[in-house]
Amino acid sequence: MAPAHAGKTLDAIKARGQVICGVNVGLAGFSAADSAGAWTGLDVDTCKAIAASVLGDANKVKWVPLNAQQRFTALQSGEVDILARNTTFSLTRDASLGLHMTAVTYYDGQGFMVPVKSKIKSAKALKNATVCVQSGTTTEKNLTDFSKANNLGIKPVVFEKQEAVNAAYFSGRCQAYTTDASGLASVRNKEAKVPADHLILPELISKEPLGPMVRRGDDEWFAITKWVVYGLIEAEEYGVTQANVDAMTKDSKDPVVMRLTGSGEDTGKLLGLEKDWLVRAIKAVGNYGEIFERNVGPKTPLALPRGQNNQWNKGGQMYAMPVR
């Protein structure tokens, strides 16, 4: 097997010693900075894992906060190496922006949040309702489709910035707020005076598979991004964790674990990376399950269930392509 030649993106990253990662300006659980400027979240950990794999250091990341309007241009223009920003994969985005969807890091769906006092219990009850929504998103289009399909006459109240959507909803300008269900949980937890005063309705009106995107034209970088994500998912499936990865590398005789840790065949050279490329990522952020639990899981303020984001063999949709 011939080793891969490094792509131009990887060359640039190695020369500057940093991965430049486009993230949300602030969505708790996915990407948000604290008062000291330290970034955390599920999307943030994706970038940290990639930096660990390619540079050997999860902290060698430059964070570029982007709103919904700016995100694709920033990636197209080369301002960022990767966009890891709760972005939905869709045909239009994959086929017409000069970008590649990589691997799904969170299966989501669009929902609605309403004040409990409104007594609204179902999205179908939003007839002629005003609904706050952010422009330049799949959310805005899905809302229009849902309203038309169900003859609801919903009146979208559209804002460019998420902060403006939040402010409008919580000040009572709209009867409901719509975005991805995970986003609603994040906003409710962070912005509501009393989170329990707001209900996320049970229906999801769309499929929102979220994950990182890269520019077209660099197959090597595309492969690295994809396989780091798959590697973290497969590590969870085979019980390789942040705490035990060193011991597993040394002791495991399971052929799958040996491939994941590089103690068996060297998959790194196929990606233009070191033999321990995946061990570095797991040591930095843990496996996919650890990333989920730490950032958005039941014990976090977002308290999101694993649900669809469970492993394929536990009733979910997280199914890694085999690292072999």
Side-chain angles (χ1 to χ4, degrees):
M1 283 189 279
H5 66 279
K8 53 187 182 295
T9 308
L10 184 58
D11 284 343
I13 287 167
K14 284 183 167 168
R16 83 167 90 88
Q18 251 185 347
V19 176
I20 304 175
C21 182
V23 287
N24 197 306
V25 291
L27 185 65
F30 288 86
S31 55
D34 65 16
S35 54
W39 287 84
T40 55
L42 188 138
D43 289 334
V44 165
D45 281 345
T46 302
C47 283
K48 285 182 173 176
I50 290 165
S53 282
V54 301
L55 296 171
D57 186 343
N59 297 313
K60 289 187 173 172
V61 184
K62 180 184 176 190
W63 306 103
V64 180
L66 300 164
N67 68 27
Q69 279 70 31
Q70 300 164 324
R71 57 184 162 171
F72 299 124
T73 316
L75 184 56
Q76 288 158 342
S77 68
E79 186 190 336
V80 298
D81 299 315
I82 179 170
L83 180 69
R85 189 206 170 283
N86 62 296
T87 296
T88 301
F89 292 167
S90 71
L91 184 148
T92 309
R93 288 174 175 181
D94 193 43
S96 70
L97 297 177
L99 306 177
H100 266 314
M101 307 181 307
T102 59
V104 177
T105 52
Y106 190 93
Y107 287 97
D108 212 340
Q110 184 172 332
F112 293 89
M113 179 162 66
V114 294
V116 169
K117 64 171 195 280
S118 72
K119 303 274 198 288
I120 292 169
K121 294 283 193 288
S122 159
K124 300 274 174 69
L126 292 167
K127 195 144 178 77
N128 303 319
T130 50
V131 179
C132 280
V133 64
Q134 190 177 7
S135 62
T137 57
T138 53
T139 315
E140 188 183 11
K141 296 185 173 81
N142 293 337
L143 179 63
T144 308
D145 290 352
F146 175 72
S147 179
K148 273 194 190 137
N150 294 285
N151 198 23
L152 292 174
I154 284 171
K155 301 177 189 67
V157 184
V158 183
F159 301 90
E160 190 176 311
K161 292 195 160 68
Q162 194 188 324
E163 299 84 351
V165 188
N166 297 350
Y169 169 74
F170 288 111
S171 69
R173 275 193 64 188
C174 322
Q175 290 155 280
Y177 185 147
T178 189
T179 188
D180 298 345
S182 63
L184 292 174
S186 177
V187 168
R188 174 172 67 175
N189 173 60
K190 189 161 172 274
E191 307 290 339
K193 286 191 183 74
V194 184
D197 287 348
H198 300 272
L199 173 71
I200 296 170
L201 298 176
E203 305 99 322
L204 297 179
I205 65 166
S206 69
K207 293 178 294 193
E208 306 292 330
L210 311 178
M213 296 185 84
V214 294
R215 273 183 301 289
R216 284 195 176 203
D218 188 335
D219 290 346
E220 290 77 20
W221 182 238
F222 176 47
I224 288 167
T225 307
K226 228 175 8 183
W227 285 102
V228 169
V229 175
Y230 287 143
L232 296 174
I233 295 169
E234 188 150 297
E236 180 188 15
E237 186 182 340
Y238 284 86
V240 183
T241 68
Q242 195 172 25
N244 73 17
V245 65
D246 280 336
M248 294 279 249
T249 305
K250 211 164 76 228
D251 305 330
S252 179
K253 297 291 177 272
D254 181 325
V256 178
V257 175
M258 289 171 74
R259 280 195 293 271
L260 290 174
T261 59
S263 63
E265 67 192 76
D266 180 0
T267 52
K269 70 178 180 195
L270 304 176
L271 295 166
L273 300 177
E274 301 293 327
K275 188 174 184 171
D276 65 345
W277 65 281
L278 190 54
V279 169
R280 294 171 172 192
I282 297 164
K283 273 180 136 161
V285 295
N287 64 37
Y288 177 77
E290 292 176 280
I291 292 168
F292 185 99
E293 294 304 324
R294 179 169 62 246
N295 292 299
V296 297
K299 292 185 179 136
T300 68
L302 262 69
L304 294 169
R306 266 309 278 272
Q308 297 179 89
N309 295 295
N310 225 321
Q311 287 279 342
W312 65 281
N313 52 7
K314 292 188 176 162
Q317 296 194 79
M318 278 296 156
Y319 184 108
M321 305 300 125
V323 177
R324 65 178 307 154

